Amino acid sequence: MTQVMLIHGAWSTGAAWTSVVPALSGAGHAVLAPTLPGHGDDPTPHDGIDVMTYARAMIDRLPETRPVTVVGHSMGGLVISQMAELAPERINHLIYVAAFLPRDGQSLLDLIKTQEGPGIQVAVERADKHSTVLNPERAAPILFPDAARAQQAAALRGLSAQPNRAQTSPVRLTDDRFGRVAKTYILCTQDRTVTPDLQRAMIANNTSGDTAVHELDCGHFPQLSATSDLNRLLNSLL
């Protein structure tokens, strides 16, 4: 049995992993899919949330019994990277799913600016001075163009406000800590949010240990559009 923690991405909640949790649990793994501070119904004020806030909150949720495999989707890649830096002895494997794989000092905004095309930015709207929301009609064809219409509708209903500072604050990583944790990247080849070119660039630019790479022929949310393939691959990696 493997202890697994699933970390969702921006504007999302732990419900993003609804199709994954039963498949991993059914294979005998102990699975947690928490919601990040300030997302969904969590009352944490948005003005005080950055990547470090996320990472510390998730480390507090890690089981004490054995090292954990931590899976991050999209923005969750920054969170799991910072978690590994803070507590490498409690994490034995990082798995990035169409996720941001940063270097020391980079933020989500730094990385997204390096890709061609606007991506999800065309759907971002101001919620208040500390957060944004997504315009559902503009977001759906970018986030999950290959998902069924009913899946898109359900996923859009699950979106929430996104704290701004979490996307602009940099991670702090070192080779001695973050670098010593094993890493695997699941690259989504039809992704319109974190483009395949950006995914490949982040993998190539990662100098903190080798990163094993697997590909899925799908968009940004394999949890919706490539559920069986994603679950099979995750179970093979655990």
Side-chain angles (χ1 to χ4, degrees):
M1 180 192 75
T2 301
Q3 301 268 11
V4 186
M5 178 177 280
L6 307 172
I7 305 297
H8 64 80
W11 298 286
S12 194
T13 70
W17 299 104
T18 297
S19 64
V20 175
V21 171
L24 302 188
S25 298
H29 305 297
V31 186
L32 291 173
T35 292
L36 293 170
H39 290 246
D41 295 331
D42 184 272
T44 308
H46 288 177
D47 60 342
I49 296 174
D50 58 13
V51 172
M52 195 68 73
T53 308
Y54 286 158
R56 288 175 173 149
M58 295 301 100
I59 288 171
D60 286 345
R61 299 285 301 275
L62 288 175
E64 296 281 357
T65 52
R66 67 180 75 182
V68 179
T69 293
V70 187
V71 183
H73 175 241
S74 196
M75 182 191 71
L78 284 94
V79 181
I80 69 173
S81 299
Q82 193 64 72
M83 289 173 67
E85 175 68 21
L86 294 175
E89 71 285 352
R90 299 180 65 187
I91 299 171
N92 62 3
H93 192 184
L94 300 175
I95 302 177
Y96 297 78
V97 181
F100 292 97
L101 173 53
R103 290 177 290 161
D104 178 50
Q106 290 184 315
S107 68
L108 182 150
L109 191 59
D110 292 332
L111 288 165
I112 208 69
K113 284 181 176 179
T114 67
Q115 79 175 9
E116 293 187 12
I120 197 61
Q121 297 306 311
V122 299
V124 176
E125 298 179 347
R126 186 179 187 270
D128 54 45
K129 65 180 181 179
H130 299 301
S131 63
T132 60
V133 293
L134 293 180
N135 177 296
E137 292 183 0
R138 294 179 180 176
I142 301 167
L143 290 176
F144 18 74
D146 49 349
R149 189 174 297 275
Q151 291 177 310
Q152 289 186 359
L156 289 170
R157 288 194 297 271
L159 296 179
S160 69
Q162 169 61 46
N164 292 335
R165 286 183 59 206
Q167 296 188 316
T168 60
S169 59
V171 294
R172 296 302 178 194
L173 308 174
T174 63
D175 289 344
D176 288 343
R177 296 178 67 82
F178 167 68
R180 79 189 204 213
V181 181
K183 300 172 185 66
T184 297
Y185 199 102
I186 299 175
L187 191 154
C188 295
T189 61
Q190 303 301 321
D191 199 329
R192 299 179 183 178
T193 305
V194 183
T195 63
D197 284 346
L198 176 55
Q199 293 178 63
R200 293 187 179 99
M202 291 186 293
I203 295 165
N205 291 334
N206 174 47
T207 58
S208 295
D210 294 334
T211 302
V213 181
H214 301 266
E215 294 190 2
L216 292 177
D217 185 21
C218 63
H220 189 59
F221 267 83
Q223 303 98 308
L224 299 181
S225 60
T227 308
S228 296
D229 290 339
L230 175 63
N231 290 340
R232 190 180 305 113
L233 178 53
L234 286 174
N235 270 319
S236 74
L237 295 170
L238 298 177

